[in-house]
Amino acid sequence: MNCSIAIMAAGFGTRMKSKKPKVLHQISGFPMLYHIIKEAKKISNDIHVILYHQAQLVQDEMNKHFENIHFHIQDYDNFPGTGGAIMGISPKYEKVLVLNGDMPLLEAQDMQIFFDEDAPVVMSSFIANDATGYGRVIMDDSKNVAKIVEQKDANELELKVKSVNAGVYLFDTDFLNTNLSKLSNNNNQKEYYITDLISIANEQKLQVKAVEINEETFMGVNSKYHLAQAEELMQKRIKKRFMEAGVSMRLPETIYIESDVTIEGESILESGVSLLKGAKIINSHIKTNSVVEDSMLKNSSIGPMARVRPKSVLIDSHIGNFVEIKKSTLNGVKAGHLAYLGDSEIDTGTNIGCGTITCNYDGKAKYKTIIGKNVFVGSDTQLVAPVKVEDDVIIASGTTVTKDLKKGCLAITRAPLKIVDGFFYKFFGK
Ligand code: UD1
Ligand code: MG
């Protein structure tokens, strides 16, 4: 679309009570600013992000995810406030949509409503249950928006107004270029307000249109309480989309799914499941309280209480309770209980007994364990990596494997078992 987008993200975020810049606080696995930039990029190829507070940190974080974002540092010392924020940006297109960096729930489709209006200034409002903190939208006699008055500048009558400014605007770029210099900081906060552009437009008899928006979608996150509320709303949205696409969820309110996770086919998620960092689930069953991070599961079942750590692939496999997998590929494998399989490749028909551990780390470096097809790994086996087990091997229970094992062999280590008759009674007495 031929529209530039400016995202204001220079504010201090004092109410977050955190050393971390407000817009870097995460919702569903990603910083708030990431979510809004991702949506903005669906609409425009000319995105301007206005920063000031810990600007470099925010910029570095966003550069990990996006290219071609114009970062602009606000002249905060001379021009603080939302009006000051958009001074000095140079939009490429005739219109500029102004968004806030702390609005993580806004999606591209919600921005469309602004483009349906044809006016030099379009602002957005909603009727607030609790108008505290918001700018009040003051109408004139013919129900046009006359001005926006900030809470800190409002008189008693204005404070009673329930219609509030959502903080998203669509401006003609020409209008901004002509009028930004007319803003003053003659108000109680000594700030340059973007909202004063509304009354400036009215003075010039330019049309100001207001669109009614959904309060939840345009929610601005100012505190950690808001952050948790926004998280809950985003989680509901993510889970609803998956369930509508055929994913089953038991007690969905107990499930956490990050926003870059994909789930396909007839997958089932039981209660308390966490799917993190781009996990990909295909036709799989994730049982209660299991965690999958940055891994792929296909036609597999895991848990309850299983943990699949990054860079793992499970295909046609089953892992049971208290099994931890890390950077491993399991293809047609069963590991029913209590095991740690790290840096390993395990092939079809292999059974991993209870208590099996790949000893992948010697305190300095990590090593690989490779296990072939149809291997029977007895309970309480330790595989000291680097080690390779060929097909059709039996490893007896309690064995410590320190050498490669050839196809078809049995491996067994046994410390001699000593039996002392009647020792119990000698020790404890009769
Ligand atoms: C602003 C609006 C208010 C509206 C509300 C909606 C003004 C003056 N007021 O108030 O009418 O109801 O949003 O949420 O605009 N920012 C900068 N530079 C600054 C100050 C702020 O980039 O100098 C950024 C912040 O990072 C934030 C956004 O602008 O993303 C809004 O700032 P904030 O301080 O939250 O404004 P509100 O007081 O909420
Ligand atoms: Mg705000």
Side-chain angles (χ1 to χ4, degrees):
M1 191 179 285
N2 285 348
C3 167
S4 297
I5 295 186
I7 303 172
M8 300 187 288
F12 282 93
T14 333
R15 287 167 280 181
M16 292 301 277
K17 306 218 172 11
S18 170
K19 289 193 188 90
K20 202 197 297 199
K22 170 158 94 170
V23 292
L24 289 190
H25 283 268
Q26 295 205 340
I27 286 184
S28 301
F30 290 88
M32 291 199 275
L33 186 58
Y34 164 88
H35 289 291
I36 191 97
I37 295 181
K38 182 170 147 265
E39 294 302 313
K41 276 185 89 88
K42 291 181 186 168
I43 289 191
S44 171
N45 60 11
D46 188 44
I47 313 275
H48 302 257
V49 176
I50 298 107
L51 300 173
Y52 178 76
H53 181 54
Q54 292 182 267
Q56 195 57 49
L57 186 65
V58 179
Q59 197 169 327
D60 290 347
E61 192 57 39
M62 291 306 115
N63 280 336
K64 288 183 196 162
H65 302 287
F66 305 107
E67 286 172 3
N68 303 326
I69 305 288
H70 306 286
F71 292 101
H72 175 76
I73 308 292
Q74 182 176 349
D75 180 3
Y76 198 89
D77 293 338
N78 296 311
F79 296 99
T82 47
I86 53 164
M87 288 175 187
I89 58 162
S90 9
K92 177 166 140 192
Y93 296 114
E94 281 167 27
K95 298 236 176 217
V96 190
L97 181 69
V98 179
L99 307 173
N100 288 347
D102 62 359
M103 287 183 167
L105 298 174
L106 199 59
E107 295 186 326
Q109 70 206 44
D110 308 310
M111 301 173 196
Q112 190 53 46
I113 187 171
F114 291 85
F115 303 111
D116 296 341
E117 301 296 334
D118 184 25
V121 178
V122 185
M123 52 87 57
S124 50
S125 68
F126 59 90
I127 305 295
N129 288 327
D130 175 10
T132 315
Y134 285 109
R136 308 300 203 275
V137 180
I138 311 298
M139 303 286 190
D140 64 18
D141 296 338
S142 37
K143 296 272 178 223
N144 292 317
V145 180
K147 58 179 177 176
I148 297 170
V149 181
E150 289 309 298
Q151 163 138 342
K152 287 182 179 150
D153 305 304
N155 62 35
E156 236 167 90
L157 211 62
E158 288 164 338
L159 283 176
K160 288 198 179 117
V161 172
K162 290 282 179 215
S163 175
V164 300
N165 169 28
V168 174
Y169 321 84
L170 181 66
F171 293 107
D172 276 0
T173 306
D174 278 349
F175 172 81
L176 281 185
N177 290 340
T178 321
N179 293 299
L180 274 174
S181 58
K182 294 181 185 145
L183 291 180
S184 83
N185 63 350
N186 186 15
N187 53 54
N188 284 336
Q189 301 189 83
K190 295 276 163 286
E191 284 187 359
Y192 293 81
Y193 294 163
I194 197 172
T195 45
D196 286 347
L197 289 168
I198 309 300
S199 42
I200 290 175
N202 277 318
E203 280 160 21
Q204 298 171 13
K205 305 269 179 288
L206 293 170
Q207 200 180 13
V208 177
K209 286 212 170 158
V211 292
E212 276 288 320
I213 53 82
N214 175 314
E215 176 171 4
E216 234 172 55
T217 313
F218 283 71
M219 171 185 183
V221 170
N222 294 318
S223 66
K224 290 201 172 130
Y225 177 59
H226 290 158
L227 192 73
Q229 284 180 311
E231 176 97 279
E232 233 175 284
L233 291 166
M234 188 177 281
Q235 282 297 307
K236 272 202 178 119
R237 195 189 268 174
I238 290 172
K239 288 180 272 191
K240 183 168 178 235
R241 281 175 190 165
F242 282 130
M243 287 188 273
E244 281 171 353
V247 176
S248 305
M249 295 190 196
R250 191 166 79 191
L251 298 178
E253 63 279 16
T254 65
I255 296 172
Y256 173 73
I257 303 175
E258 293 191 340
S259 64
D260 57 346
V261 165
T262 53
I263 314 176
E264 294 170 19
E266 277 222 66
S267 291
I268 303 170
L269 310 183
E270 293 185 5
S271 55
V273 162
S274 290
L275 303 179
L276 315 173
K277 304 224 174 340
K280 188 168 182 179
I281 312 294
I282 306 164
N283 288 322
S284 291
H285 185 167
I286 320 279
K287 295 179 190 164
T288 305
N289 291 341
S290 297
V291 181
V292 182
E293 179 177 350
D294 184 20
S295 290
M296 202 271 270
L297 270 62
K298 189 175 176 189
N299 304 330
S300 294
S301 71
I302 72 163
M305 289 162 288
R307 181 169 181 212
V308 180
R309 290 173 50 205
K311 308 274 176 283
S312 298
V313 176
L314 271 70
I315 299 168
D316 300 325
S317 292
H318 163 71
I319 64 166
N321 44 199
F322 309 114
V323 173
E324 176 180 339
I325 310 283
K326 190 219 77 174
K327 208 175 176 186
S328 290
T329 300
L330 277 62
N331 194 346
V333 173
K334 287 199 174 87
H337 1 247
L338 268 176
Y340 171 63
L341 304 170
D343 302 297
S344 62
E345 279 170 33
I346 310 176
D347 215 339
T348 320
T350 288
N351 186 82
I352 304 290
C354 176
T356 297
I357 291 170
T358 53
C359 310
N360 60 328
Y361 184 50
D362 63 2
K364 278 189 190 165
K366 303 275 166 69
Y367 303 95
K368 277 195 93 162
T369 299
I370 296 170
I371 305 178
K373 296 187 174 68
N374 306 318
V375 174
F376 179 85
V377 181
S379 298
D380 195 27
T381 292
Q382 297 132 56
L383 296 139
V384 182
V387 70
K388 187 172 177 200
V389 178
E390 293 184 3
D391 297 347
D392 308 331
V393 165
I394 298 176
I395 302 173
S397 172
T399 296
T400 303
V401 180
T402 52
K403 291 177 190 155
D404 290 354
L405 302 178
K406 289 274 174 242
K407 189 168 190 285
C409 76
L410 163 74
I412 179 166
T413 49
R414 284 282 183 272
L417 174 67
K418 196 176 169 189
I419 298 174
V420 183
D421 282 337
F423 183 82
F424 180 97
Y425 304 107
K426 248 193 256 169
F427 191 73
F428 290 113
K430 283 239 175 199

